[in-house]
Amino acid sequence: EPEVTQTPSHQVTQMGQEVILRCVPISNHLYFYWYRQILGQKVEFLVSFYNNEISEKSEIFDDQFSVERPDGSNFTLKIRSTKLEDSAMYFCASSERLAGGIDTQYFGPGTRLTVL
Amino acid sequence: KNQVEQSPQSLIILEGKNCTLQCNYTVSPFSNLRWYKQDTGRGPVSLTIMTFSENTKSNGRYTATLDADTKQSSLHITASQLSDSASYICVVSGLSGGYQKVTFGIGTKLQVIP
């Protein structure tokens, strides 16, 4: 069964450094998403991406964040200058179509980001 | 402000028993409501999706209900198994201007014991 994959599984970085989290969505999916979950808290929506552009972003997704689909398979989340509060599990998800928002989103296993 | 409240916060049940998890929301406009199962340290896995016009949806031993008038949903798990131990998350989406507003609940942590 096709699945969303994410690398690395765990990333440790120093505050102020740039990090890139990578995701490979399911191959025939067109909509891509990033979420984050701070330890012990609820999952939070960051951004959705379709047709090579951001379709929606939350208040969390400020200028420090960017997303890119550099080729036909990868979908990346970049944090330019990490802060301690960026420490969280970051989930990538993809769906085949939006279809009024009722399409199933498939989540990857997550990347745990630790900022020291 | 869009909110999703879940109860109970945690629940312990014996293997084989049934349980019901609750979700109340204030998301507006409403598009759909999803229930996810999240194992510790893993990504959420979709269980059910319901739109405004649906009031019940089943997926194996999981049955979700939706009352869009009272803005309440429940997830009923029948004949629980040890593998059902996980967090169950209610997620409500609204469509506004063609875009999704996605609000997650904090989840109910279910533990099934032998």
Side-chain angles (χ1 to χ4, degrees), chain A residues 9-116:
Chain A
S9 57
H10 191 189
Q11 173 91 46
V12 181
T13 188
Q14 294 290 327
M15 189 170 58
Q17 295 295 305
E18 174 185 285
V19 294
I20 297 177
L21 310 183
R22 291 182 167 79
C23 168
V24 179
I26 295 173
S27 62
N28 64 331
H29 286 188
L30 301 176
Y31 292 85
F32 315 116
Y33 313 84
W34 282 103
Y35 297 86
R36 79 172 185 190
Q37 186 174 30
I38 296 170
L39 187 65
Q41 298 186 24
K42 62 182 180 180
V43 177
E44 299 171 292
F45 169 75
L46 293 179
V47 66
S48 59
F49 190 87
Y50 169 70
N51 199 27
N52 282 321
E53 61 182 24
I54 291 173
S55 53
E56 192 183 6
K57 60 184 181 179
S58 70
E59 303 79 21
I60 302 168
F61 195 88
D62 60 21
D63 292 342
Q64 292 297 313
F65 292 91
S66 63
V67 289
E68 191 179 28
R69 189 155 164 81
D71 52 45
S73 60
N74 289 285
F75 179 50
T76 62
L77 174 69
K78 181 193 290 185
I79 309 175
R80 289 191 182 82
S81 178
T82 51
K83 303 187 284 286
L84 295 177
E85 53 265 36
D86 292 327
S87 294
M89 183 75 94
Y90 288 80
F91 293 106
C92 172
S94 70
S95 63
E96 191 171 355
R97 59 193 179 277
L98 187 58
I102 61 170
D103 202 25
T104 298
Q105 291 183 19
Y106 293 85
F107 282 75
T111 291
R112 179 166 298 285
L113 175 65
T114 301
V115 182
L116 302 176

Side-chain angles (χ1 to χ4, degrees), chain B residues 57-107:
Chain B
K57 184 74 72 80
S58 290
N59 177 3
R61 294 179 296 103
Y62 301 103
T63 299
T65 65
L66 172 65
D67 185 334
D69 291 331
T70 62
K71 295 185 168 55
Q72 295 179 324
S73 176
S74 65
L75 180 70
H76 186 74
I77 305 175
T78 304
S80 60
Q81 300 175 358
L82 297 179
S83 58
D84 292 333
S85 296
S87 285
Y88 290 84
I89 304 172
C90 176
V91 183
V92 183
S93 297
L95 270 183
S96 178
Y99 298 116
Q100 281 198 79
K101 295 285 185 185
V102 182
T103 306
F104 283 71
I106 190 69

